[in-house]
Amino acid sequence: EADIYQTPRYLVIGTGKKITLECSQTMGHDKMYWYQQDPGMELHLIHYSYGVNSTEKGDLSSESTVSRIRTEHFPLTLESARPSHTSQYLCASSVTGLWGTQYFGPGTRLTVL
Amino acid sequence: AQTVTQSQPEMSVQEAETVTLSCTYDTSESDYYLFWYKQPPSRQMILVIRQEAYKQQNATENRFSVNFQKAAKSFSLKISDSQLGDAAMYFCAYRSGIGTGNQFYFGTGTSLTVIP
């Protein structure tokens, strides 16, 4: 099993709160990703990073922001959470190479009341 | 952008039987990689099997195998001797082999139920 961690696993917060979802990997992967996934639905890429100090927005527009100051750490921040942000957030990482297989964390299930 | 289509939102299979999940994709590239991921309920998404486009031989991993038809742009997953633990959402994914980017394109998923 891949060494990629996400905290918290579950989070219930009120509207307007600022939150940070943590993602860390110990595999030394250069690339990291954030996906948004509603239960039983497809994955939507919201952010990705190809290395330290490199971040890009994905295909799905998101009000969240990310940073990549260290290779192993890729946190996602919502400045002011809203009920529309309720979803599951999956973090993944991969290494540049032949397969580029993405390895996923366990996810954070966010509920905004 | 490439598109990946999984036309079966839900499938079911009797325990010990065989089931095939469908996946088609649209691309103009000749060099790419294809993946099947499994996401059990409330658990981590894990890689099931993967295939390089330039390899004609179908990949196999124990009870899991693929039927890769490059000309038809089809990449189906066959699960033999289905077990209760195979119950999950299955996602097909595509990655371009061009450049160093690793962006994946995922299908909408197939929910597999295994009936005891």
Side-chain angles (χ1 to χ4, degrees):
Chain A
E1 201 160 302
D3 296 327
I4 180 164
Y5 309 98
Q6 291 185 243
T7 57
R9 293 290 312 277
Y10 302 91
L11 181 62
V12 180
I13 60 168
T15 297
K17 298 292 186 184
K18 177 181 178 179
I19 59 166
T20 296
L21 307 185
E22 301 288 348
C23 177
S24 295
Q25 50 96 5
T26 59
M27 298 172 284
H29 287 175
D30 52 343
K31 296 181 170 67
M32 296 187 75
Y33 313 82
W34 276 104
Y35 292 90
Q36 185 173 341
Q37 181 190 31
D38 290 328
M41 302 294 286
E42 65 197 288
L43 285 74
H44 295 284
L45 181 67
I46 52 175
H47 296 283
Y48 61 97
S49 168
Y50 285 169
V52 172
N53 295 325
S54 154
T55 61
E56 300 287 345
K57 288 187 181 294
D59 299 327
L60 181 68
S61 175
S62 173
E63 295 165 345
S64 58
T65 59
V66 293
S67 62
R68 188 90 183 275
I69 299 173
R70 304 196 316 265
T71 298
E72 64 272 19
H73 194 214
F74 191 43
L76 180 145
T77 298
L78 276 167
E79 291 292 333
S80 179
R82 294 207 298 268
S84 61
H85 296 139
T86 295
S87 189
Q88 173 159 256
Y89 293 83
L90 298 178
C91 181
S93 70
S94 68
V95 64
T96 300
L98 180 63
W99 287 104
T101 301
Q102 291 193 9
Y103 296 92
F104 286 82
T108 294
R109 191 171 296 279
L110 173 66
T111 302
V112 184
L113 303 175
Chain B
Q2 282 71 22
T3 57
V4 178
T5 301
Q6 293 180 248
S7 59
Q8 305 155 316
E10 297 178 345
M11 291 283 285
S12 62
V13 62
Q14 291 284 146
E15 195 174 3
E17 296 295 310
T18 296
V19 64
T20 298
L21 308 184
S22 300
C23 173
T24 59
Y25 55 94
D26 184 24
T27 185
S28 59
E29 299 172 343
S30 57
D31 183 20
Y32 51 87
Y33 303 86
L34 297 164
F35 304 79
W36 278 99
Y37 282 87
K38 170 185 177 181
Q39 187 180 37
S42 301
R43 291 183 60 188
Q44 203 154 343
M45 185 173 296
I46 59 172
L47 177 70
V48 175
I49 197 166
R50 56 191 182 183
Q51 173 85 37
E52 301 168 80
Y54 65 85
K55 278 195 173 179
Q56 294 295 322
Q57 187 173 1
N58 290 323
T60 62
E61 288 286 343
N62 300 314
R63 297 182 296 108
F64 299 88
S65 62
V66 298
N67 183 6
F68 174 50
Q69 301 289 327
K70 190 171 185 178
K73 298 179 183 176
S74 171
F75 183 60
S76 60
L77 173 69
K78 186 171 83 170
I79 306 173
S80 304
D81 185 25
S82 297
Q83 301 174 359
L84 296 178
D86 295 334
M89 281 288 288
Y90 286 82
F91 292 94
C92 179
Y94 170 103
R95 179 179 89 80
S96 171
I98 298 171
T100 58
N102 279 45
Q103 186 167 344
F104 275 41
Y105 297 91
F106 286 90
T108 52
T110 296
S111 178
L112 178 66
T113 299
V114 180
I115 303 166

